[in-house]
């Protein structure tokens, strides 16, 4: 009886132990399931995302939170601002062009008015005070002399216009005369008559033409306007030795290449020296004279006379200034001309 009671108690004790184990396991499961007081251990990949993955998710969520209407409204606002900026730029550009066009038209009108006034002054022989002062500085004339020379210029212009009308009405070559008559100024015919009758220059046709072409360097070969007439006359009558030498060199340089060649010397001397035909060949004498003159003027021995050669020779021997033909007035003619000015 006693032995049977012990077996029963031992069995009960074993069961109790099993129950304790089962209870322990249950307690452990409860603890891991956050049923107990111990810390909770969770898998970071399964249950809680990392910080790097969480930020894009938040951004995506924020983006998803915006409505399509707000995005389209922002685009429309940006396009409107751009259009306004472009419109302001175009408006400013058009206003600037309009202002520049107006200024250009105003300057053109002013220049045209000045040209008309200058033209009227030239035709009437009058000079405005500003131009008179400029000419006084450019030339070697006094103000009273300039006024008198302007009156002479007006008379010469009248002669040119009268001659042009006469040729146009009484000649069959009116079509040729008409274009030249449109250019106002002292023409070749009146200029040659002036040199011959007033300054006693009797020379060949080729030198007369060269004097006319070299008179006004700014408008070579064209009718002489008032300013060109006065500046050329200043050198012609009161120029220094260097100014007169430069003028004579340009006259003798027939092709305007900067040199007086042997052929040009031959042409000039032959026209100046030969007046009547002779029995012997006159060209041989002219050729000998050309060789003599060339040795005198050709300082650098290159077979032609440059402006430096010419100026250097004139400095040494001023009497050779008009060695190839007369192109300057005599002292007597100059004094007589100034005595006739009504000052």
């Amino acid at each position: 009886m006693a032995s049977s009671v012990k077996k029963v108690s031992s069995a009960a004790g074993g069961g109790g132990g099993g129950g304790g184990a089962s209870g322990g396991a249950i307690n452990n499961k409860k603890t891991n399931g956050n049923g107990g007081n111990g810390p909770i251990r969770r898998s970071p990949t399964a249950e809680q995302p990392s910080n790097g993955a969480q930020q894009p998710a938040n951004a995506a969520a924020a983006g998803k939170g915006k409505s399509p209407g707000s995005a389209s409204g922002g685009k429309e606002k940006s396009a409107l601002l751009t259009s306004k900026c472009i419109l302001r730029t175009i408006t400013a550009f058009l206003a600037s062009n309009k202002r520049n066009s107006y200024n250009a038209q105003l300057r053109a009108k002013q220049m045209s008015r000045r040209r008309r006034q200058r033209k009227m002054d030239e035709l009437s022989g009058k000079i405005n005070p500003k131009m008179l002062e400029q000419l006084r500085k450019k030339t070697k004339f006094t103000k009273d002399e300039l006024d008198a020379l302007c009156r002479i210029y007006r008379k010469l212009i009248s002669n040119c216009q009268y001659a042009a009308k006469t040729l146009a009405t009484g000649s069959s070559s009116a079509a040729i005369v008409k274009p030249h008559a449109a250019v106002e100024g002292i023409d070749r015919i009146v200029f040659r008559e002036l040199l011959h009758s007033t300054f006693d220059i009797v020379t060949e046709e080729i030198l007369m033409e060269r004097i006319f072409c070299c008179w006004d360097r700014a408008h070579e070969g064209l009718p002489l306007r008032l300013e060109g007439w006065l500046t050329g006359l200043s050198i012609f009558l009161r120029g220094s030795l260097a100014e007169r030498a430069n003028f004579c060199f340009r006259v003798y340089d027939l092709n305007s290449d900067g040199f007086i060649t042997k052929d040009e010397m031959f042409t000039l001397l032959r026209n100046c020296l030969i007046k009547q035909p002779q029995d012997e060949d006159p060209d041989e004498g002219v050729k000998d004279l050309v060789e003599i003159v060339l040795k005198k003027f050709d300082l650098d021995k290159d077979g032609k006379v440059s402006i430096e050669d010419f100026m250097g020779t004139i400095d040494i021997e001023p009497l050779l200034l008009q060695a190839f033909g007369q192109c300057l007035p005599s002292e007597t003619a100059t004094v007589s001309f100034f005595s006739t000015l009504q000052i």
Side-chain angles (χ1 to χ4, degrees):
M1 188 72 176
S3 62
S4 62
V5 171
K6 289 180 181 180
K7 288 180 180 180
V8 171
S9 60
S10 62
S22 300
I26 292 172
N27 289 335
N28 287 337
K29 287 181 181 180
K30 290 182 179 181
T31 301
N32 292 335
N34 200 14
N37 295 327
I40 302 172
R41 295 181 181 178
R42 298 179 181 177
S43 174
T45 58
E47 298 183 9
Q48 183 177 359
S50 62
N51 293 333
Q54 187 175 3
Q55 292 178 357
N58 293 335
K64 291 179 179 179
K66 293 183 178 180
S67 63
S70 62
S72 61
K75 291 181 180 179
E76 292 177 357
K77 184 177 182 180
S78 176
L80 183 61
L81 292 176
T82 304
S83 300
K84 288 182 178 180
C85 181
I86 294 174
L87 184 61
R88 284 196 298 268
T89 304
I90 294 174
T91 304
F93 178 75
L94 294 176
S96 176
N97 285 347
K98 184 177 180 180
R99 190 163 50 249
N100 293 337
S101 177
Y102 174 77
N103 293 335
Q105 292 178 359
L106 184 62
R107 286 193 297 268
K109 290 181 180 179
Q110 291 176 351
M111 291 179 63
S112 178
R113 192 181 302 113
R114 289 178 189 146
R115 283 195 296 266
R116 287 197 302 268
Q117 184 63 39
R118 192 182 302 117
K119 185 177 179 181
M120 293 175 62
D121 291 342
E122 288 183 4
L123 293 177
S124 62
K126 297 179 181 179
I127 308 179
N128 60 67
K130 185 177 180 180
M131 186 177 181
L132 182 64
E133 183 63 24
Q134 292 176 352
L135 290 173
R136 191 186 65 80
K137 294 178 180 179
K138 288 182 179 181
T139 64
K140 297 182 180 181
F141 300 128
T142 63
K143 291 184 178 180
D144 293 335
E145 289 173 341
L146 287 173
D147 288 334
L149 292 173
C150 286
R151 290 195 296 268
I152 294 176
Y153 176 83
R154 180 179 57 188
K155 293 179 181 179
L156 293 174
I157 289 294
S158 300
N159 293 339
C160 293
Q161 293 175 347
Y162 176 78
K165 290 180 180 179
T166 302
L167 290 174
T169 55
S171 176
S172 59
S173 59
I176 300 177
V177 177
K178 188 175 180 181
H180 296 283
V183 182
E184 295 178 355
I186 302 175
D187 60 15
R188 285 170 168 81
I189 300 175
V190 175
F191 181 80
R192 292 173 186 175
E193 181 63 26
L194 176 70
L195 291 185
H196 178 70
S197 61
T198 305
F199 299 109
D200 296 332
I201 295 182
V202 181
T203 185
E204 296 297 324
E205 181 70 19
I206 186 172
L207 274 181
M208 280 288 193
E209 177 65 19
R210 287 301 301 165
I211 293 172
F212 178 79
C213 291
C214 297
W215 193 274
D216 184 8
R217 299 188 67 175
H219 305 87
E220 184 172 335
L222 296 177
L224 300 177
R225 303 295 293 270
L226 178 60
E227 185 175 354
W229 154 255
L230 293 174
T231 53
L233 198 62
S234 176
I235 297 175
F236 190 71
L237 298 176
R238 289 181 175 170
S240 63
L241 180 62
E243 290 174 338
R244 289 187 170 194
N246 187 278
F247 175 74
C248 290
F249 179 83
R250 290 190 292 113
V251 171
Y252 299 146
D253 182 14
L254 300 181
N255 59 358
S256 301
D257 65 345
F259 297 97
I260 303 175
T261 62
K262 293 175 67 174
D263 292 338
E264 290 172 336
M265 293 180 193
F266 181 84
T267 301
L268 293 169
L269 293 176
R270 186 176 185 275
N271 292 333
C272 292
L273 297 179
I274 298 177
K275 303 299 180 182
Q276 295 179 354
Q278 301 175 359
D279 295 335
E280 60 182 7
D281 187 6
D283 291 348
E284 293 299 326
V286 177
K287 290 179 181 179
D288 295 338
L289 183 59
V290 168
E291 293 297 334
I292 295 173
V293 175
L294 182 61
K295 291 179 181 179
K296 198 72 176 178
F297 279 92
D298 188 14
L299 300 181
D300 56 3
K301 308 302 179 183
D302 60 349
K304 53 188 177 182
V305 179
S306 63
I307 182 63
E308 291 80 11
D309 295 336
F310 192 84
M311 299 290 285
T313 304
I314 299 304
D315 288 339
I316 299 172
E317 298 186 35
L319 293 177
L320 295 175
L321 179 61
Q322 302 182 73
F324 301 106
Q326 183 188 9
C327 52
L328 292 172
S330 63
E331 187 67 25
T332 304
T334 302
V335 174
S336 176
F337 174 75
F338 279 106
S339 65
T340 58
L341 293 181
Q342 299 175 3
I343 300 176

